[in-house]
Amino acid sequence: MAVSTTDRGSWNSKLGFILAAAGSAVGLGNIWGFPTQVASNGGAAFLIIYLLCSFLIGFPVMVAELTIGRNSGKNPVGAFRSISSNKFFPLVGLWGVICGVMILSFYTVIAGWAFGYAFEEIFFAMGMDGAANWLTDTGNGVKNAIIASVFMLATVKIISGGVSDGIEKATKTMMPLLIGILVIMIVYVLFQPGSSVGIREYLLPDFSKINAELIFAAMGQAFFSLSLGMGALITYGSYLNKKENIPQAAAFVTLTDVTIAFLAGLLILPSMYLAQANGVEIFQDGQLVESTTLVFDVLPALFHSMGAIGTVFGVAFFLLLSLAALTSTISLLEVPVSYAIDEFELTRGKAAARIGSGILVISILISFFPSLIDYFIIIFNNIGLPLGGFMICVFIGYFWKTENAINEMEYGFAGIKQTLFTTVWPFFVKFICPAAILYTLGQILYGLFF
Ligand code: PFF
């Protein structure tokens, strides 16, 4: 068992680390973000580009982040500083900390919506329509702010508990439950007449829909969903034992994350058409009426169509979604907290409380102006995270050097130098990933200005 001597902490077990990393990855990005993006960006065409981005770009970057984290044993800013004397790269870590802060500020508001919907199902079943409607009013600033505050409080509490006691414990039970309930609901939905339209939309690609915007959205979604580009996995890697096999852990996390996103699509896309048949307005002139709240419009309609059992499923689903969001908010908050602990020598509890309160101020602003979320997503998620990923690749490929990274990986993966991984991964980190990210961001920026 690992013993922690400082406020930094470490993982208690291999399973604990893997579940926490998967818990960070699996969250609103999979169940809210991914289906919304598929629905707004050309269905199956988006799915294909998203899968390519996750496996060909996300996975190599994830290995890179975990390796930097474990080698340095530091937060994202300190990690770059301790590995290289180059003055620029700590700023990349700082950009990651900023992205984490800004993403967390809107994430708590959406997580609050999910949490509110769990209780909506109960009030709705009890005929208390007034309370149910209050909870589902995503434009109600006061309600948004109250639930976002509850969420932030829970996040601060877990983070204050430390790495193994707080983060590890919170993640251990909810993942299998979430997958179980997703599968049951997919089976239910697939048996409903009319679901095939959604399935076709989701699984039959129309390649003519692939354009620069779609690739940009898919890349941003892959980075967000895998928790990459802002140093969350540098931070989680810094608590990692030398015995762990980094490429294997990264492969498991990537596969789990992509699978849950795929399952969520299999549930939501057909549900959209079922909800439409039940009178929920989803499209107008072929466009989605409201994308930010799509999942929250579609799923309750499905649960309500199921009768009494729908209430049970509805409550369970939204509670699990809230828990999945919580295991992601803790990883988002852990990034600035680890920075404050390492660099400013604050205690864990103080760092979590102070930073959490600061971020809550931005969350409250967003609670009253939810349309800000779209702008935050473009700047800090779709641009910020791939940019961070690009810098991480440049750092490993051209400054730290991939040979040193492979040496670090060798600790938990004896014989790595005899595998193909040693040839393929450096090639991706040096050339494929940076080129693909640069090309995608370049196309979008060019489109904006010219
Ligand atoms: N991966 C999380 C999700 O899919 O909801 C969001 C996230 C967590 C993004 C942690 C970035 C991060 F560092």
Side-chain angles (χ1 to χ4, degrees), residues 228-239:
L228 295 175
M230 48 160 274
L233 293 182
I234 293 183
T235 310
Y236 273 24
S238 74
Y239 308 130

Side-chain angles (χ1 to χ4, degrees), residues 12 17 43 63 68 71 82 87 132 174 180 188 200 202 235 237 258 309 341 361 373 383 423 428:
N12 261 342
F17 159 71
V63 171
I68 293 175
N71 182 269
S82 83
K87 294 269 179 296
M174 49 124 308
Y188 171 82
R200 232 176 292 130
Y202 185 41
T235 310
V258 165
I309 190 80
I341 293 174
V361 174
I373 293 175
I383 296 178
T423 322
F428 270 76

Side-chain angles (χ1 to χ4, degrees), residues 24-25 27-30 107 224-227 230 232 328 331-332:
S24 164
L28 295 172
N30 306 64
Y107 202 95
F224 180 74
S225 191
L226 293 168
S227 304
M230 48 160 274
S328 298
S331 73
L332 282 160

Side-chain angles (χ1 to χ4, degrees), residues 252-270:
F252 175 83
V253 173
T254 306
L255 265 178
T256 308
D257 189 61
V258 165
T259 305
I260 296 191
F262 179 76
L263 289 177
L266 216 46
L267 172 67
I268 309 276
L269 269 280

